[in-house]
């Protein structure tokens, strides 16, 4: 079993590279919480605007926060927004996609129409309106729900297309003739065959959710008190750190965001190879 897994890992390099990037991130956060005092991520906890040194390896910002502590405390919050929004989006998208494609009829027409209309609306504009309408300020979880409000549209369309191709297969027809109910066919016959595809869709949705949350936060529409990566970039922009030459302030969050997206991208490519029979045979 282990030997077979290693042989497959050697063939599917993208999956391994993606996992390595994310493992580096997990180690950074895990070891950081063991050895870094995350209370230094609060304003006025350290001297302001200090470049990287032995005492402050990532430097400090204008608010008097240690940027290493900010990265250790803020990276899990950004990932939390992405994973919560991704799971909600793919969960709702899967439910609607399976039901719409299997039962067809008027229900399919309504769901397909809503999805088609929703995908034509500029997503970032809608998210900005929703975020602005919440007057009391967003928390991290509320931010995830705001991002998830549109995260189900694309999964619904793509999963529906996959189910449409599967519902006419012989084994589904046999299950139907044997008296199996519709929900049972969806859960026991269709869903297991789409698990690798659903996993790839989930990783892609998490990546898109993180991108959307960072975009909103850079505009100042995120959880203002949370040290997320997007809010760190908001303060970089607010204090004109690029113009003033405070390079250490923006290098750390951008480097971590780059690692996150590279890891999720390679993981999506690897899972896509696992889900697609044509690509799988070529691996």
């Amino acid at each position: 079993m282990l030997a077979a897994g290693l042989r497959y890992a050697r063939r599917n390099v993208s999956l391994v590279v993606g996992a390595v990037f994310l493992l580096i991130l997990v180690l950074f956060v895990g070891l950081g919480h063991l050895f870094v005092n995350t209370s230094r991520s609060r304003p006025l906890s350290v001297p302001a605007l200090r470049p990287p040194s032995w005492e402050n390896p990532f430097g400090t910002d204008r608010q008097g926060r240690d940027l290493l502590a900010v990265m250790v405390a803020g990276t899990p919050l950004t990932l939390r927004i992405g994973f919560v929004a991704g799971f909600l989006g793919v969960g709702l998208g899967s439910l609607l996609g399976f039901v719409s494609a299997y039962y067809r009829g008027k229900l399919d027409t309504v769901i397909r129409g809503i999805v088609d209309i929703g995908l034509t609306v500029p997503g970032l504009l809608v998210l900005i309106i929703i975020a602005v309408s919440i007057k009391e300020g967003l928390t991290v979880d509320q931010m995830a729900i705001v991002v998830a409000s549109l995260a189900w549209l694309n999964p619904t369309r793509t999963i529906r297309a996959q189910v449409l191709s599967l519902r006419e297969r012989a084994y589904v027809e046999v299950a139907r003739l044997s008296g199996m109910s519709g929900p049972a066919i969806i859960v026991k016959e269709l869903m297991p065959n789409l698990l690798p595809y659903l996993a790839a869709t989930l990783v892609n949705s998490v990546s898109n959710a993180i991108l959307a949350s960072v975009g909103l936060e850079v505009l100042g529409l995120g959880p203002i008190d949370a040290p997320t990566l997007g809010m760190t970039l908001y303060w970089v922009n607010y204090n004109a750190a690029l113009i003033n030459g405070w390079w250490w302030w923006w290098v750390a969050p951008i480097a971590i965001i780059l690692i996150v997206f590279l890891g999720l991208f390679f993981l999506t490519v690897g899972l896509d190879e696992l889900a697609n029979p044509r690509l799988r045979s070529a691996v």
Side-chain angles (χ1 to χ4, degrees), residues 76-87:
L77 297 178
T78 296
L79 294 178
R80 178 175 168 180
I81 293 173
F83 276 95
V84 170
F87 271 103

Side-chain angles (χ1 to χ4, degrees), residues 87-206:
F87 271 103
L88 289 175
V90 173
L92 182 57
S94 299
L95 177 64
L96 295 175
F98 275 103
V99 170
S100 174
Y102 182 78
Y103 289 104
R104 303 298 302 271
K106 292 182 180 177
L107 184 62
D108 179 42
T109 303
V110 172
I111 293 175
R112 193 181 65 222
I114 294 173
V115 170
D116 289 343
I117 293 172
L119 289 174
T120 61
V121 177
L124 183 60
L125 177 62
V126 175
L127 293 178
I128 289 173
I129 293 172
I130 295 173
V132 169
S133 64
I134 301 176
K135 300 183 184 302
E136 296 180 358
L138 289 170
T139 64
V140 170
D141 290 333
Q142 288 172 336
M143 186 72 190
I145 293 173
V146 168
V147 174
S149 62
L150 295 180
W152 57 276
L153 292 170
N154 202 48
T156 301
R157 169 177 279 185
T158 57
I159 292 169
R160 175 183 173 276
Q162 293 292 323
V163 176
L164 281 176
S165 68
L166 289 180
R167 73 185 299 274
E168 304 301 333
R169 302 284 175 87
Y171 69 91
V172 176
E173 187 64 25
V174 169
R176 196 178 294 126
L177 292 175
S178 68
M180 191 178 287
S181 65
I185 292 175
I186 289 175
V187 174
K188 295 180 180 178
E189 301 292 339
L190 295 176
M191 198 171 286
N193 287 287
L194 284 180
L195 281 180
Y197 183 81
L198 293 176
T201 304
L202 174 62
V203 175
N204 192 41
S205 294
V206 170

Side-chain angles (χ1 to χ4, degrees), residues 216-273:
L216 289 175
E217 288 169 342
V218 170
L219 294 174
L221 299 174
I224 202 73
D225 296 328
T228 61
L229 301 178
M231 290 311 302
T232 304
L233 291 177
Y234 165 74
W235 291 117
V236 166
N237 183 49
Y238 183 83
N239 290 282
L242 282 170
I243 298 174
N244 289 309
W246 302 325
W247 57 270
W248 60 89
W249 197 347
W250 52 265
V251 164
I254 288 179
I256 292 179
I257 288 173
L258 191 62
I259 292 173
V260 171
F261 281 114
L262 284 176
L264 293 174
F265 169 74
F266 282 111
L267 205 59
T268 303
V269 173
L271 289 171
D272 192 41
E273 291 173 350

